Amino acid sequence: MAKLDILRYPDPRLYTRAVPVSMVDDSIRRLVADMAETMYAAPGIGLAATQVDRHIQLIIVDTSEAQNDLQVFINPELIASTGDAEREEGCLSVPGIYDKVHRAEWIRVRALNLDGQPFELEATGLLAICIQHEMDHLLGKVFVQYLSSLKQSRIRNKLKKRLRETL
Ligand code: NI
């Protein structure tokens, strides 16, 4: 396994739309293992392939307290959603920035697992939020894009300043 580099907002590669995974093979399973290592090391509760510059429809999440329940969604599709939930979100691609975003409260998602088998899952609470956040990455969308343009430009300036300071 290897830790991968995470793209940082506003890196334009984060705006790439991911394409479906055509076959769930060992290269995909290897990528999932690397993404899991990257996510747990960060630490984070979700990661989309987009964030490690692999533009395929693959997300991983682990919202468990003990961080021992990895869930993998390949070619995820939202097939139903309802309700409204507002929660403070963060993102490994936007370090140190947290803000409230509205999402569906309940979702049903369909995806393939690591064996290439289809499954469906219903989720509420943090898991539902996390899945929606990660699925947005596959559409080239970062959560800060839900915020006002004033907030977005402040965040961009803050992150650029921080990047300069670390160079
Ligand atoms: Ni994110």
Side-chain angles (χ1 to χ4, degrees):
M1 292 206 296
K3 233 165 70 180
L4 306 168
D5 289 330
I6 297 176
L7 299 178
R8 296 289 176 88
Y9 175 84
D11 190 312
R13 289 172 290 183
L14 286 169
Y15 307 137
T16 311
R17 274 185 95 94
V19 299
V21 171
S22 51
M23 195 171 53
V24 181
D25 57 14
D26 284 344
S27 74
I28 295 294
R29 286 184 278 270
R30 233 176 352 254
L31 175 60
V32 167
D34 290 345
M35 283 173 60
E37 185 178 343
T38 307
M39 177 183 78
Y40 287 126
I45 60 171
L47 190 67
T50 309
Q51 293 175 275
V52 294
D53 204 22
R54 293 288 306 272
H55 302 286
I56 54 173
Q57 292 174 11
L58 161 63
I59 65 171
I60 61 171
V61 301
D62 187 346
T63 55
S64 70
E65 201 73 36
Q67 293 268 280
N68 60 0
D69 183 23
L70 185 71
Q71 291 179 284
V72 178
F73 301 84
I74 298 165
N75 299 343
E77 286 174 82
L78 204 60
I79 51 176
S81 66
T82 183
D84 177 70
E86 193 191 37
R87 201 177 179 118
E88 193 159 80
E89 297 187 18
C91 179
L92 294 177
S93 293
V94 198
I97 304 292
Y98 302 89
D99 215 320
K100 284 183 175 167
V101 176
H102 282 274
R103 305 272 185 191
E105 185 179 40
W106 173 92
I107 60 167
R108 176 191 280 272
V109 63
R110 181 188 293 150
L112 301 178
N113 67 16
L114 274 179
D115 298 317
Q117 298 301 313
F119 69 96
E120 287 187 10
L121 178 95
E122 289 179 11
T124 57
L126 180 60
L127 179 60
I129 302 286
C130 191
I131 292 170
Q132 292 173 83
H133 174 120
E134 301 311 329
M135 284 181 70
D136 269 356
H137 279 299
L138 303 182
L139 299 171
K141 195 162 186 181
V142 181
F143 86 98
V144 294
Q145 291 170 265
Y146 289 105
L147 308 176
S148 70
S149 49
L150 178 65
K151 274 190 179 174
Q152 289 183 51
S153 74
R154 278 191 191 144
I155 291 168
R156 278 195 300 270
N157 290 336
K158 201 172 182 177
L159 293 183
K160 280 182 202 154
K161 184 162 174 268
R162 203 182 296 158
L163 191 63
R164 279 196 305 270
E165 283 164 356
T166 54
L167 289 178

